């Protein structure tokens, strides 16, 4: 058995990387980092499952940076389900590699023009962070080559399949060198991911931390029985009694827009994000919320996964999610990195069945 590593020094990382980790005040590795970093550094394939907010991003960024630093021929591809997660990971890589040779990740996401991406890709970047749709687009046009990729990461693997990316993933798989290392990260590991893993990974080391079928304990979960007609009044009251940043989930783009407008009219500072908005609008919505310029972000499930904004104090399910699984991810936007958080769900008579399933499984 490998002895447990309870300090980042135990991984013997490049000095510049260790320095950046110290600066981020990561005193000790989180459990998923302790378990997933050594096999990843040892060139093994890894399938890692750990609850939301437990440091999965650094668990794959640290081995990637270490290997790129040690071997100038190495290159990595990180696939993620949403554009916002891609940019967030770009930020983490930049922070962690600031004292090392400059490794600038290229971010290949949809909703923005192709030509700047084509220019960046032609320079043979050593890290590509991409969403599957746009990467598959580049592959079809021949504007990206993946033959140098020897590290492949799939983050939020479960979400990829939910979002219907299976076909694109298979397409991308055909272009990836067989001789590569593959790392899968997910907060939940449903059976369809295990099937996908069987195709992508070679005798992986499986690492699971915590009861992955439950939200983390630090989240105080509660529900209010209400009606469609009363939701807004109840919400306004709740916003008055709660302090700190609030992420509110609504079911559709239209309901997200409408609620944001109603909250604005009631005097709140609100941003909104959903798949119908432009990339510029999505970025400014996330950034304003992240910087604390606006207290409230109203969102569809596009913001349910991966987004790491440590100061989110409350998640409110204005509408319940379509699937029970999404509940874990939504409420996991709060209580990040050991902080506390609150999750409140509105339950109308029509939503009682859904709530029963959620509360049976997750409360
Ligand atoms: P996950 O992908 O597991 O949901 P993230 O990778 O987004 O979680 O990390 C959640 C938060 O934890 C981030 O704000 C990150 O900076 C912080 N974090 C990661 N690793 C550590 C660590 N070892 N010590 C302290 N904080 C950490
Ligand atoms: Mg994550």
């Amino acid at each position: 058995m490998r002895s447990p590593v309870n300090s980042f020094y135990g991984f013997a990382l490049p000095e510049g990387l260790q320095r950046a980790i110290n600066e981020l005040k990561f005193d000790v590795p989180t459990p998923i980092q302790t378990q997933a970093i050594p096999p990843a550094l040892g060139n093994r394939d890894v399938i890692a499952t750990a609850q939301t907010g437990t440091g999965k991003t650094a668990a794959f960024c640290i081995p990637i940076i270490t290997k790129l630093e040690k071997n100038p021929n190495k290159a990595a591809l990180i696939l993620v389900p949403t554009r916002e997660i891609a940019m967030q990971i770009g930020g983490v890589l930049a922070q962690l590699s600031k004292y090392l040779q400059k490794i600038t990740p290229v971010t290949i996401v949809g909703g923005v023009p192709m030509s700047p991406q084509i220019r960046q890709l032609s320079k043979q970047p050593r890290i590509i962070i991409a969403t599957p749709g746009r990467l598959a687009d580049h592959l079809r046009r021949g504007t990206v080559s993946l033959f140098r990729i020897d590290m492949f990461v799939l983050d939020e693997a479960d979400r990829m399949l939910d979002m219907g990316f299976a076909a694109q993933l298979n397409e991308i798989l055909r272009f990836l060198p067989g001789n590569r290392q593959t790392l899968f990260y997910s907060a939940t590991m449903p059976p369809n991911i295990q099937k996908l893993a069987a195709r992508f990974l070679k005798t992986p080391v499986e690492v699971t931390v915590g009861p992955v079928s439950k939200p983390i304990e630090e989240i105080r979960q509660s529900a209010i029985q209400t009606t469609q007609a009363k939701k807004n009044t109840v919400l306004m009251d709740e916003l008055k009694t709660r302090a700190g940043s609030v992420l509110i989930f609504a079911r559709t783009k239209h309901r997200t827009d409408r609620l944001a407008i109603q909250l604005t009219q009631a005097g709140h500072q609100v941003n909104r994000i959903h798949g119908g908005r432009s990339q510029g609008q999505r970025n400014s919505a996330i950034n304003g919320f992240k910087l604390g310029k606006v207290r409230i972000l109203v969102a569809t499930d596009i913001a349910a996964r991966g987004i790491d904004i440590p100061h989110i104090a409350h998640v409110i399910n204005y509408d319940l999610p379509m699937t029970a699984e999404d509940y874990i991810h939504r409420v996991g936007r709060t209580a990040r990195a050991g902080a506390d958080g609150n999750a409140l769900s509105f339950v109308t008579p029509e939503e009682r069945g859904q709530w029963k399933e959620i509360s049976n499984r997750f409360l």
Side-chain angles (χ1 to χ4, degrees):
M1 266 253 324
R2 204 178 265 113
S3 67
V5 178
N6 50 19
S7 150
F8 280 103
Y9 288 94
F11 299 135
L13 303 172
E15 199 202 320
L17 174 55
Q18 180 65 54
R19 203 164 129 210
I21 291 171
N22 293 347
E23 237 172 63
L24 286 170
K25 302 242 166 9
F26 290 2
D27 297 334
V28 291
T30 66
I32 192 69
Q33 291 163 359
T34 301
Q35 294 188 41
I37 290 174
L41 287 172
N43 296 323
R44 293 291 306 268
D45 283 5
V46 177
I47 178 160
T49 322
Q51 288 163 299
T52 56
T54 56
K56 293 189 287 297
T57 314
F60 60 80
C61 289
I62 288 171
I64 287 180
I65 291 171
T66 303
K67 292 177 164 212
L68 294 190
E69 174 72 10
K70 288 189 176 155
N71 183 343
N73 296 320
K74 283 200 169 284
L77 169 66
I78 303 171
L79 274 188
V80 298
T82 70
R83 305 166 199 170
E84 283 71 22
I85 299 176
M87 286 176 224
Q88 188 174 288
I89 293 174
V92 173
L93 283 169
Q95 282 179 317
L96 288 172
S97 63
K98 65 192 266 200
Y99 296 117
L100 301 173
Q101 52 166 319
K102 207 156 172 264
I103 305 168
T104 317
V106 166
T107 305
I108 300 299
V109 298
V112 294
M114 291 290 273
S115 48
Q117 294 182 349
I118 293 172
R119 222 173 306 127
Q120 289 176 307
L121 286 170
S122 71
K123 293 182 195 151
Q124 308 292 335
R126 298 186 66 201
I127 305 187
I128 299 174
I129 310 172
T131 50
R134 180 55 71 93
L135 184 66
D137 231 11
H138 280 285
L139 284 168
R140 272 177 237 131
R141 292 168 187 229
T143 46
V144 64
S145 57
L146 301 181
F147 69 90
R148 292 169 69 243
I149 300 293
D150 47 16
M151 278 178 279
F152 170 57
V153 176
L154 195 65
D155 191 22
E156 304 281 344
D158 52 351
R159 182 61 173 168
M160 293 281 193
L161 296 190
D162 294 350
M163 288 176 76
F165 282 137
Q168 277 126 331
L169 288 179
N170 285 323
E171 198 176 340
I172 292 164
L173 179 62
R174 286 194 291 117
F175 287 91
L176 284 170
N179 188 11
R180 61 161 200 276
Q181 180 182 23
T182 305
L183 311 170
F184 266 35
Y185 290 80
S186 200
T188 53
M189 201 53 69
N192 55 357
I193 297 297
Q194 288 162 20
K195 260 198 236 152
L196 189 74
R199 241 175 307 138
F200 274 83
L201 297 115
K202 286 191 293 281
T203 53
V205 175
E206 288 185 36
V207 178
T208 303
V209 175
V212 290
S213 55
K214 293 248 187 247
I216 56 171
E217 272 178 16
E218 287 80 1
I219 306 174
R220 279 187 297 274
Q221 304 178 73
S222 59
I224 293 182
Q225 307 286 336
T226 180
T227 62
Q228 254 338 314
K230 286 192 197 138
K231 274 185 179 177
N232 278 14
T233 320
V234 178
L235 180 62
M236 301 296 170
D237 287 345
E238 288 298 325
L239 290 174
K240 254 181 246 156
T241 60
R242 288 162 190 262
S245 299
V246 187
L247 174 60
I248 304 176
F249 285 102
R251 195 176 50 241
T252 63
K253 297 171 193 173
H254 177 68
R255 287 174 69 79
T256 301
D257 285 338
R258 200 181 58 184
L259 181 57
I261 291 166
Q262 288 161 339
L263 287 168
T264 307
Q265 284 165 348
H268 291 284
Q269 289 198 305
V270 183
N271 281 349
R272 63 200 157 88
I273 182 167
H274 57 64
R277 305 200 78 203
S278 72
Q279 194 53 43
Q281 290 172 323
R282 282 165 62 164
N283 292 350
S284 82
I286 288 278
N287 289 338
F289 186 59
K290 206 168 192 165
L291 294 171
K293 286 187 190 155
V294 300
R295 179 181 168 225
I296 300 171
L297 180 67
V298 188
T300 57
D301 276 304
I302 199 163
R305 310 271 175 142
I307 300 295
D308 178 50
I309 300 180
H311 59 74
I312 296 177
H314 309 275
V315 168
I316 298 182
N317 291 316
Y318 181 81
D319 300 317
L320 288 183
M322 299 297 275
T323 71
E325 216 77 52
D326 280 329
Y327 177 83
I328 283 204
H329 294 281
R330 282 184 178 191
V331 303
R333 294 317 103 210
T334 184
R336 313 279 302 166
D340 281 339
N342 299 282
L344 172 66
S345 298
F346 290 179
V347 183
T348 62
E350 308 81 65
E351 289 169 309
R352 235 163 246 159
Q354 267 161 283
W355 180 247
K356 206 168 157 206
E357 192 192 338
I358 290 169
S359 50
N360 282 346
R361 284 179 60 187
F362 305 133
L363 262 61

